[in-house]
Structure formats: structure tokens, C-alpha cells
Amino acid sequence: MKNQAPTDPEMLGRICRELLSRQRILITSHVRPDGDSIGSQLAMAHALVALGKTVRIVNRDPAPPALQSFPGVGRIEIADRVEGAVDAVVVMECGDLSRTGLSGLDRLFIVNIDHHPGNAAFGAVNWFDGTAAACGEMVFEVIEALEVPLSHEIAVHIYVAILTDTGSFHYSSISPRTFEICRRTLEAGVDPVAVARAVFDSNTVGRLKLSGAILNTLETDPSGRLAIVYVDRETARATGGTYEDTEGLINVPLTVREIQAVVFFKEWEDGAFRVSMRSKGRIDVRRVARLFGGGGHKNASGCTVPGPYGEARRQVIPRLLEAISDPPGDAAGRENALAEPAGP
Ligand code: AMP
Ligand code: MN
């Protein structure tokens, strides 16, 4: 029995026809894949294998360490170029093709599935749904439309995608559909406690020390609403942690009531800085990421800016302070989570 009306039945029908009529299907997602990209890809892969398809997943970068133990992660190929015979490529979570970090895709038949606003519709088929809290929600609908039973493995991957992309159910992208899909995954046997432990409680001493060192760099702006954290390679090396270990740490400052947004500067290649941003409620950090050629979502986005660090700060911080003082629809930038939602 279907418990939820599909969001776009026509598009789902089209995607099903294109996938069912092709045999060798390659799946990919963005560089430095996160829980949503890994979960969405593996759920899709398991479903297509169940349909007898020949499936490969190719990613430019490995899955984060905490996800390495999930079923199928070991079969993901790491490469920067796609080779071999392929009948269709499913690209998920990518605003444009360059986000994959792979070459050799442009000549192929592409099915583009994404929930990031600003998707460039680069595929032969393009399904964009900005209301999906995770790409995993969209994959769930594709799998349902394909009439593949929700196996335990598929359900785990969908749940991981949603759990991680909602910041453990903290972001405003959550909808009734989010919980409906999670409910279905639990019915299929997902143990949310085991998944949360595997995803979030996989610390090493190095990671803990690195987290401490990073949180020690925390500063706030004079209003106390913006938190700024920083890491460089030397700190990661000295603590015995890695940059992958810093995944999720950016959310910690948001647990402080007054802090409305966080920016995390990571020293990157060629003296540049990877900038991750998170915010609460109506504050739109994607607007800031876009100014620097990045993207993401209203409450979680990223970009890369040139160094040195002082210059990177001078570029980004004033833009974030503007976003905090001027959120759309609410000059105060505050949100009462317990208030009645605004009418349509
Ligand atoms: P991160 O801070 O790297 O965890 O990224 C947060 C969100 O922003 C994710 O949805 C990313 O896919 C997106 N994002 C990060 N960097 C970029 C970028 N350079 N271009 C487009 N989207 C990005
Ligand atoms: Mn996502």
C-alpha cells in the first residue's frame, strides 16, 4: 500500500521509463560526498540491482569514515574520470556537472536528481525538488515508482540520507513527507538508534582532540550571533585527526541559544579556504555562498574563497552579518519555534 502521494508522478514515470529501458547504469554524486550523497547513491544502486541492472557507483572522493561500514560502500569506485560502456548516468545532489569532479560525463545520457536550489538542469531528464529535505526523499519516491520492495539495505541508506541532511532533524527543510518516509524505513527494519550510533558515535581520540582544538578557536562577532571557527592542516596533523573528522562539528556552536549562524574556515589547497556555513530559521547562508561561487541550502551551504585567512574573513564575515540582520520576512532574524506557523 502506498502511504504518501508521489510529489511529481509524471516526472517519476519518465525517470522509471528511462532507467528501465537501459541496462548499464552509472551513479554518481558530488565531490567530498556526505551522508545524503552516499545514502542516495547506495539506495538507488541497491534498487537498480534488484531490477537486474548492471550498476556502478563512481565518486571522486571516498565516503566519510563514519559511513564506511554501511552496506555497499566498499563497492564505490573512486576515480576522476568515467570510463567504459554506460547507458545512463544518475547524477544526484549536484547543481551542475562540475560538482561531480568527474570528467567524461558530458557525452552520456544523464538523469539529474537534486534538491539544491539553482540546479542547472544539465541532464537529459532533470528532476529538481527544492522541498525535499534530502535527495534521499526523492530516491525513495523513485524506488517506490519502480515498484522495488523497500529492503532493509535500501531503507538504511534512505534513513542515513535524511538523518544527515536534516542535521539530525534540525533544519527547516523537514516536512511531513520526511517523517512519513522515515516511518516507512523503520517499518522496513531500520534501527534508528544503531544508525545514529554508527553515524555520529564513531569518534577516535584524534577526532576528539581535533574537535577540541577547533572549538577552542571559536569567536563570536560583537552581537554574539555569528560564531567563527577555523582549522588548518597543522592542527589536524598535530592532534592526529583528519579533515573528514571535522564533519558535523560545525553544528555544535548552533547549540548555543544566541548563536544564529556559524562559519567554519578550513585551510584548503593553494592557500584557499573551504568555507562551510550553517544557520537557524530564516537566515539564508546560501545567499552568501552564492556570492563566492558556491551553493547549498538556506541553512547549510558552502563555498571556497582565496586566502590568506585574514582576507577570507574580510570577504565572508560582513556578508554573513548582513544575512543575519536581514533575513527575508523577519527583520529581527529570530524565530519562535513554538509559534504557530505563518499562513500561506
Ligand atoms: P558543507 O559545508 O561542505 O557540508 O556543505 C553544505 C551544503 O552546501 C551541502 O549541501 C553542499 O552540497 C553544499 N555546498 C558546499 N560547497 C558547495 C559548492 N562549492 N558549490 C555548491 N554547493 C556547495
Ligand atoms: Mn542533500
Side-chain angles (χ1 to χ4, degrees):
M1 192 185 81
K2 297 213 175 14
N3 296 308
Q4 173 95 17
T7 46
D8 190 343
E10 246 171 69
M11 176 55 76
L12 283 164
R14 167 108 200 267
I15 291 174
C16 290
R17 283 193 301 280
E18 301 291 4
L19 293 177
L20 290 170
S21 66
R22 291 173 164 83
Q23 178 57 29
R24 292 163 300 189
I25 300 175
L26 189 137
I27 300 172
T28 189
S29 184
H30 55 76
V31 291
R32 293 174 291 101
D34 59 9
D36 191 20
S37 42
I38 295 295
S40 294
Q41 291 181 98
L42 283 165
M44 183 70 91
H46 279 96
L48 293 173
V49 166
L51 290 167
K53 304 292 173 189
T54 311
V55 181
R56 290 167 62 200
I57 302 179
V58 180
N59 286 175
R60 220 281 300 272
D61 299 307
L67 299 181
Q68 290 288 346
S69 59
F70 281 86
V73 175
R75 293 207 301 272
I76 298 176
E77 299 170 44
I78 308 300
D80 55 16
R81 177 166 185 79
V82 166
E83 275 158 5
V86 173
D87 302 319
V89 186
V90 181
V91 179
M92 291 188 280
E93 283 268 282
C94 293
D96 57 55
L97 259 192
S98 69
R99 278 284 286 158
T100 63
L102 300 178
S103 60
L105 288 175
D106 35 4
R107 63 194 165 85
L108 300 169
F109 182 90
I110 291 176
V111 178
N112 161 19
I113 301 177
D114 187 25
H115 69 139
H116 292 87
N119 185 283
F122 51 84
V125 183
N126 300 286
W127 185 24
F128 164 73
D129 179 0
T131 70
C135 192
E137 287 189 5
M138 303 172 75
V139 174
F140 176 91
E141 292 197 37
V142 173
I143 291 171
E144 217 177 34
L146 287 167
E147 297 184 355
V148 173
L150 197 61
S151 67
H152 182 257
E153 280 158 339
I154 293 175
V156 164
H157 290 304
I158 298 284
Y159 187 81
V160 166
I162 293 175
L163 176 70
T164 55
D165 236 36
T166 58
S168 308
F169 303 104
H170 277 59
Y171 299 157
S172 56
S173 53
I174 295 165
S175 72
R177 172 171 55 154
T178 312
F179 286 106
E180 171 59 17
I181 295 172
C182 289
R183 187 186 75 74
R184 296 281 303 280
T185 67
L186 262 62
E187 244 173 30
V190 169
D191 175 350
V193 178
V195 173
R197 283 214 183 288
V199 173
F200 301 118
D201 301 353
S202 58
N203 261 335
T204 60
V205 172
R207 177 190 286 192
L208 221 52
K209 287 194 168 172
L210 179 57
S211 302
I214 293 170
L215 290 178
N216 234 347
T217 72
L218 188 145
E219 308 159 54
T220 55
D221 79 298
S223 79
R225 292 186 296 175
L226 175 67
I228 304 145
V229 283
Y230 164 85
V231 70
D232 54 32
R233 295 198 181 280
E234 176 51 25
T235 307
R237 198 198 52 73
T239 53
T242 66
Y243 274 17
E244 284 79 38
D245 292 333
T246 65
E247 189 74 38
L249 193 64
I250 188 173
N251 292 307
V252 175
L254 284 183
T255 60
V256 176
R257 192 179 163 83
E258 297 75 28
I259 292 178
Q260 300 296 312
V262 186
V263 56
F264 185 4
F265 291 94
K266 293 180 206 180
E267 183 194 37
W268 213 248
E269 282 135 21
D270 304 323
F273 284 80
R274 278 273 320 145
V275 182
S276 286
M277 292 169 275
R278 299 291 184 271
S279 63
K280 290 178 184 165
R282 294 189 183 88
I283 297 166
D284 185 357
V285 287
R286 178 174 173 267
R287 213 172 77 184
V288 179
R290 297 260 298 155
L291 292 173
F292 301 100
H297 308 279
K298 185 175 71 174
N299 295 140
S301 56
C303 56
T304 304
V305 297
Y309 181 48
E311 187 51 32
R313 289 172 61 112
R314 268 192 294 281
Q315 294 291 325
V316 175
I317 291 173
R319 302 281 90 80
L320 274 166
L321 292 173
E322 282 165 19
I324 291 172
S325 7
D326 178 30
D330 178 3
R334 283 181 293 271
E335 197 169 68
N336 181 355
L338 304 178
E340 292 278 324

